[in-house]
Amino acid sequence: MPIFKATATGLTSLRQVHPGPELYELEIEKLLWDNLEAFYVNDLFPISRQPQIPTGGRPDVVAIDSSGSVVVFEVKRSIERSQLAQCLEYAGWARKTSLDELSRLYHKNADQFFADWTAFTGTTSPVLVNDKPILVLVAQDFDNR
């Protein structure tokens, strides 16, 4: 199963992967982190991989889009009811989080977060987080229900 990146000239294969025992969530998560733009329509500001969030749990990848929507990526082999509930909990956290909290999760460091965030958004004062998070599920299979 190829994973593609959309470019102006068409699709470019990022990597050929084969479903099965050799395909691990961690491998797809790393590919996602290294190529966020291939999995999402707009540019994203990467926050962290596997951050420990205050409500419990570790979403696979957290990022923010330029409008302030927190984008939570969750990678699973298959999405069933229990995994979907977990993903919705992450979206609930993202709906209520703040820039201060995200700065503490930032993969570089909290001190660097605001300078990088304002540079990313092209503003002199930080764009605030809005209450419209986006949940992106990456999986081989989804429960039919």
Side-chain angles (χ1 to χ4, degrees):
M1 158 178 74
I3 298 177
F4 293 99
K5 174 182 178 179
T7 65
T9 58
L11 296 178
T12 303
S13 179
L14 290 175
R15 186 158 181 202
Q16 181 74 26
V17 294
H18 302 284
E22 72 281 358
L23 181 65
Y24 295 97
E25 292 174 17
L26 190 59
E27 185 178 334
I28 298 298
E29 177 189 317
K30 180 179 180 341
L31 182 66
L32 171 67
W33 178 255
D34 293 340
N35 301 281
L36 280 176
E37 71 282 354
F39 289 84
Y40 195 72
V41 177
N42 301 320
D43 288 339
L44 291 174
F45 181 74
I47 297 296
S48 187
R49 282 179 65 188
Q50 293 282 326
Q52 177 68 48
I53 59 175
T55 58
R58 293 183 174 273
D60 291 326
V61 173
V62 175
I64 316 172
D65 71 13
S66 60
S67 71
S69 289
V70 176
V71 182
V72 177
F73 290 88
E74 190 62 21
V75 179
K76 299 286 187 197
R77 285 183 190 239
S78 64
I79 300 287
E80 298 172 2
R81 283 181 89 158
S82 61
Q83 287 90 10
L84 183 57
Q86 175 190 32
C87 296
L88 292 174
E89 286 177 13
Y90 295 157
W93 162 79
R95 185 171 183 255
K96 296 181 179 186
T97 194
S98 66
L99 285 181
D100 287 334
E101 186 175 6
L102 291 172
S103 73
R104 291 188 293 275
L105 300 176
Y106 190 45
H107 67 99
K108 291 183 180 176
N109 62 56
D111 294 333
Q112 186 65 42
F113 173 81
F114 286 99
D116 291 353
W117 175 236
T118 55
F120 175 79
T121 58
T123 59
T124 55
S125 62
V127 172
L128 298 178
V129 172
N130 67 48
D131 63 354
K132 295 171 181 64
I134 298 163
L135 179 60
V136 179
L137 306 176
V138 179
Q140 178 182 345
D141 293 310
F142 290 86
D143 187 326
N144 289 333
R145 295 196 310 181

